[in-house]
Amino acid sequence: MLKSKMTSTGVALMLVSLLLLGGCKSIRVTPMSVRMAESEMKRSPEGWMLDFSDRLKWNYCHGLVSQSFLDVYDRYGDEKFFKYVKQYADTMIYENGEIIGYKPHEFNIDRINTGKILFRLYNKTKDEKYKKALDLQRSQLKEHPRTQEGGFWHKKVYPCQMWLDGLYMGAPFYAQYGKEFNEPEVFPDVVNQFMLIRKHLYDPATGLFRHAWDECRQQAWADSITGQSAHVWGRAMGWYAMALVDALDFIPAETPRRDSMVIIFRELVQAVEKVQDPATGLWYQVLDQGTREGNYLESSCSAMFTYAILKGVRMGYLDASHRQIALKSYDGIIKNFIRENADGTISITRGCAVAGLGGKPYRSGTFEYYISEPVRDDDPKAVGPFIMASLEMEDFKK
């Protein structure tokens, strides 16, 4: 009788009492990484629906979130996460390895990122269509246009340009392919991509990196002398930070200049920590403009930096003292960006929907441009890195 009369408030109070009495060990708390992944699966019941899609896409956002789901699967072993990603891949890939909507000779480096999910699918299932699709994406990089020093263009439609974003889209896949399929000549080429970014996009005045560089100095957004864009976009630097810690997983220790990648990562983290908001532990949409009117604390770059720093400490690239920076930022994400929804899901708020340079309509790269792009909840560029950062937190706590 007592159980049937117990109200929801009574249940809540009972749980609080158990916690206060030290009974929390008997209460299973769902990890935040799992909660966000399950929430995103509820919002997008099939993988092709990720990124608010209404049609099939082989899109870097789908790859980013799917990659984080596979990380959750690896950590906790729940098959539903693996099956979700596999269903997306099976929807997109024909038996001959061709991928719906993917055209290698468009030379869009964004499209490479999604290929990372195929390594784990192939290793687990041994289905040859995944290997064929991996080889197809690898073939793009064999012909992809480059700068005079060997840096991959961001896209064929953006000639002469390297973007920070592009290092995350291409380099970890490229390095993992080299490791998985015995192409050792890949590794110096991967390292060179990071060296070129350091050479051409680094701002010595701040230690930060500008969003993009135009080798040909043709774009209106490019400085006529340096070729750099004008500002430091938070998410672009977040992409670069994640690219460094992820690509290093696959590059052998003896590879020339690999140690320089670690140094670059350390310098990047030191510069990023200097512009961290002291009150919340978060980072701004435009990193080099701080509290300038219109600038705002943004969730995707905050999650990316949190993930990269936590992983950097775990892998030994950073001193353990840096972990406190990431713990503060993770706490700031939970307090400022994570929302509990009425249906039991959670959302991550305040993510910049998109930002770029050039194109039609033309994106100027000014401060006013970056703060004018739409802001939305549950943007995949925030969802995926938040799951990845949460997994790092969960491993650390364990």
Side-chain angles (χ1 to χ4, degrees), residues 108-349:
N108 181 342
I109 208 160
D110 284 345
R111 300 289 184 262
I112 298 296
N113 183 62
T114 307
K116 290 187 295 188
I117 68 174
L118 302 178
F119 291 107
R120 279 184 276 188
L121 294 180
Y122 177 64
N123 288 335
K124 183 176 173 65
T125 68
K126 300 304 179 184
D127 189 329
E128 283 299 314
K129 73 179 179 185
Y130 301 136
K131 175 61 164 61
K132 292 174 183 177
L134 282 165
D135 292 344
L136 179 64
Q137 298 222 267
R138 171 69 181 96
S139 71
Q140 176 183 324
L141 296 179
K142 291 179 180 179
E143 300 180 41
H144 199 98
R146 298 176 181 241
T147 66
Q148 292 182 4
E149 297 167 293
F152 290 124
W153 289 5
H154 192 63
K155 298 179 184 180
K156 183 179 179 180
V157 295
Y158 297 147
C160 305
Q161 299 169 40
M162 293 187 74
W163 295 16
L164 291 178
D165 320 31
L167 270 291
Y168 184 79
M169 304 306 161
F173 172 92
Y174 194 21
Q176 188 170 3
Y177 192 98
K179 181 178 181 180
E180 297 271 351
F181 302 115
N182 192 30
E183 288 192 27
E185 66 275 11
V186 158
F187 303 125
D189 196 14
V190 175
V191 173
N192 190 46
Q193 305 303 311
F194 289 96
M195 297 301 106
L196 292 174
I197 289 291
R198 175 61 173 78
K199 178 179 179 181
H200 294 293
L201 285 163
Y202 180 73
D203 177 10
T206 64
L208 301 169
F209 290 75
R210 303 291 177 84
H211 186 175
W213 169 65
D214 175 12
E215 179 183 42
C216 300
R217 278 73 165 173
Q218 294 176 337
Q219 294 296 312
W221 53 256
D223 183 272
S224 60
I225 298 174
T226 67
Q228 293 180 352
S229 57
H231 289 293
V232 181
W233 180 37
R235 185 154 75 225
M237 273 202 68
W239 288 127
Y240 189 58
M242 294 199 303
L244 281 160
V245 294
D246 287 356
L248 282 166
D249 288 345
F250 310 108
I251 301 172
E254 65 273 16
T255 303
R257 299 193 296 174
R258 182 186 187 276
D259 56 343
S260 296
M261 287 179 60
V262 177
I263 292 170
I264 289 171
F265 178 63
R266 290 172 179 166
E267 292 177 344
L268 180 152
V269 169
Q270 290 174 353
V272 163
E273 289 175 354
K274 290 178 181 178
V275 293
Q276 184 183 33
D277 177 54
T280 64
L282 303 172
W283 282 275
Y284 283 93
Q285 165 76 341
V286 188
L287 291 184
D288 61 333
Q289 296 299 300
T291 57
R292 180 175 173 180
E293 185 177 357
N295 208 4
Y296 61 91
L297 296 171
E298 198 272 334
S299 60
S300 69
C301 73
S302 296
M304 289 176 174
F305 292 138
T306 303
Y307 162 71
I309 294 171
L310 285 171
K311 182 175 179 179
V313 173
R314 175 170 62 83
M315 298 299 294
Y317 308 138
L318 299 174
D319 184 88
S321 62
H322 291 276
R323 183 181 285 121
Q324 293 304 316
I325 298 294
L327 295 179
K328 182 176 182 179
S329 62
Y330 188 81
D331 184 60
I333 292 170
I334 298 296
K335 290 179 178 177
N336 294 276
F337 294 139
I338 299 301
R339 184 184 69 228
E340 299 268 354
N341 300 316
D343 63 356
T345 62
I346 59 173
S347 289
I348 185 165
T349 64

Side-chain angles (χ1 to χ4, degrees), residues 28 34 38 41 69 72-84:
R28 184 178 181 275
V34 175
E38 290 177 338
M41 287 169 65
F69 285 5
V72 174
Y73 167 70
D74 287 346
R75 176 68 174 78
Y76 293 107
D78 191 330
E79 286 285 339
K80 70 185 178 188
F81 299 113
F82 183 85
K83 290 177 180 177
Y84 183 91

